[in-house]
Amino acid sequence: MSEIRLIDVAMQYVTHKAQVRALDRISLTVPDGQFACIVGPSGCGKSTLLMVAAGLVTPSEGEVLVDGKPATAPGADRGMVFQSYSLYPWLSVRRNIEFGMEIKRTPRTERQLRSGELIHLMKLDGFAEAYPKALSGGMKQRAAIARALANDPQVLLMDEPFGALDAQTRQIMQEMLTDLWQRFRKTVLFVTHDIDEAIFLGDVIYVMTNRPGRIRTTLRVDLPRPRTFDMVGGPHFAQLRNQVVGIIHEESLKAVESELARA
Ligand code: ADP
């Protein structure tokens, strides 16, 4: 049982110039083994939401619970993958993957066994001793996913992990991630601005409002699994896409209008 729950989370950034209310009373529960995606207009607070869930920032109000226990700081129970910067450039792929296990003082043989398995699973054979700068974008993100999985976290938190990749690599990574998820059934909270990606990957999609971000709509994705790319052209996919595009368009217009009103 590994559920992550956000209860009435609000986030107010205070800078020397202004106060920015990024999130406003967000409540959501991702139950054990569910793949939940968050989409919303740019600047609506998606990354902030994930950082709060990771314990990297403290919300101004509300709380985060993992399996009912308050999660107020980063922990091995939550693995994180960002768009970039998930890997330490000064460590090899293998050492990056083993880093969390080293911190937990996992015995060396166990560490090596686990990193070897993950290297193979993420199709990084032959690159164990390579440094991140020698890897392609897709390989870096595969290594970042391996690193996040190394401590066998209860929850995976992913912030636009494929956002910097070209279209083909992105598709391959999406396929790899759904396969991986079918196999491990981790609880996943995945932020993306790519609506097709959210539909392809998710069991459920939370669509956020314009800032301050709230959950405007929750949509279930009733596409069968395993997911395949021929579903992208299907009627259910198209209907969900239209629904999400419509909401995000409305929210983006509201953002422009409130910017104009402030000017
Ligand atoms: P998204 O990921 O949806 O694009 P973010 O969570 O990055 O949105 O940002 C939400 C809002 O909070 C934006 O207006 C952004 O400028 C603001 N913001 C994000 N981080 C900070 C920060 N560290 N200090 C002040 N404002 C911030």
Side-chain angles (χ1 to χ4, degrees), residues 4-8 26-30 38 49 189 206 215:
I4 183 158
R5 174 172 250 185
L6 275 65
I7 304 172
D8 284 337
I26 300 254
S27 291
L28 61 86
T29 301
V30 189
I38 309 253
L49 178 74
L189 193 54
Y206 293 103
I215 304 296

Side-chain angles (χ1 to χ4, degrees), residues 4 50 53-54 78-82 155-159 187-189:
I4 183 158
L50 220 71
R78 281 149 295 147
M80 287 265 343
V81 185
F82 302 95
V155 179
L156 263 186
L157 302 170
M158 308 183 91
D159 188 2
T187 307
V188 182
L189 193 54

Side-chain angles (χ1 to χ4, degrees), residues 59-246:
S60 320
E61 293 159 42
E63 63 176 341
V64 178
L65 303 176
V66 176
D67 290 344
K69 292 184 214 82
T72 51
D77 56 349
R78 281 149 295 147
M80 287 265 343
V81 185
F82 302 95
Q83 188 178 117
S84 46
Y85 313 117
S86 297
L87 298 173
Y88 293 131
W90 59 88
L91 295 179
S92 67
V93 166
R94 187 180 55 75
R95 294 278 322 274
N96 261 289
I97 296 171
E98 290 182 16
F99 186 80
M101 291 186 280
E102 275 183 44
I103 302 270
K104 273 178 71 178
R105 298 180 188 280
T106 307
R108 192 163 174 207
T109 42
E110 198 181 321
R111 269 190 346 240
Q112 286 176 343
L113 193 69
R114 178 103 181 117
S115 63
E117 276 168 11
L118 286 164
I119 283 167
H120 182 62
L121 183 70
M122 298 313 294
K123 299 189 169 49
L124 290 164
D125 302 278
F127 289 89
E129 303 311 323
Y131 285 83
K133 69 172 183 319
L135 305 180
S136 68
M139 290 165 97
K140 274 189 197 140
Q141 289 311 72
R142 299 211 296 279
I145 293 171
R147 185 187 146 109
L149 289 172
N151 266 336
D152 198 21
Q154 287 153 290
V155 179
L156 263 186
L157 302 170
M158 308 183 91
D159 188 2
E160 300 256 11
F162 310 143
L165 305 177
D166 63 79
Q168 282 78 26
T169 310
R170 193 175 181 129
Q171 225 179 44
I172 288 167
M173 293 297 294
Q174 290 165 356
E175 270 175 332
M176 273 188 86
L177 183 61
T178 68
D179 288 349
L180 203 66
W181 178 82
Q182 294 256 150
R183 195 167 157 160
F184 292 116
R185 288 282 168 166
K186 296 275 174 211
T187 307
V188 182
L189 193 54
F190 186 103
V191 162
T192 179
H193 67 260
D194 180 331
I195 296 163
D196 280 10
E197 181 168 85
I199 302 171
F200 182 74
L201 293 173
D203 295 315
V204 65
I205 302 177
Y206 293 103
V207 190
M208 288 176 69
T209 64
N210 135 58
R211 206 186 76 209
R214 290 181 303 274
I215 304 296
R216 174 165 152 172
T217 309
T218 308
L219 296 167
R220 296 225 142 254
V221 183
D222 287 324
L223 293 169
R225 292 190 187 267
R227 302 263 167 94
T228 49
F229 273 101
D230 54 4
M231 293 175 188
V232 175
H236 184 53
F237 206 102
Q239 185 224 328
L240 279 169
R241 182 193 293 125
N242 287 343
Q243 224 176 329
V244 179
V245 167

Side-chain angles (χ1 to χ4, degrees), residues 11-15 18-23 38-51 57 159-160 191-193 208-209 211-213 262:
M11 181 67 204
Q12 184 114 349
Y13 288 110
V14 181
T15 65
Q19 293 197 355
V20 178
R21 193 156 179 88
L23 298 175
I38 309 253
V39 297
S42 176
C44 74
K46 300 183 291 297
S47 290
T48 301
L49 178 74
L50 220 71
M51 292 212 290
V57 296
D159 188 2
E160 300 256 11
V191 162
T192 179
H193 67 260
M208 288 176 69
T209 64
R211 206 186 76 209
R262 275 200 300 272

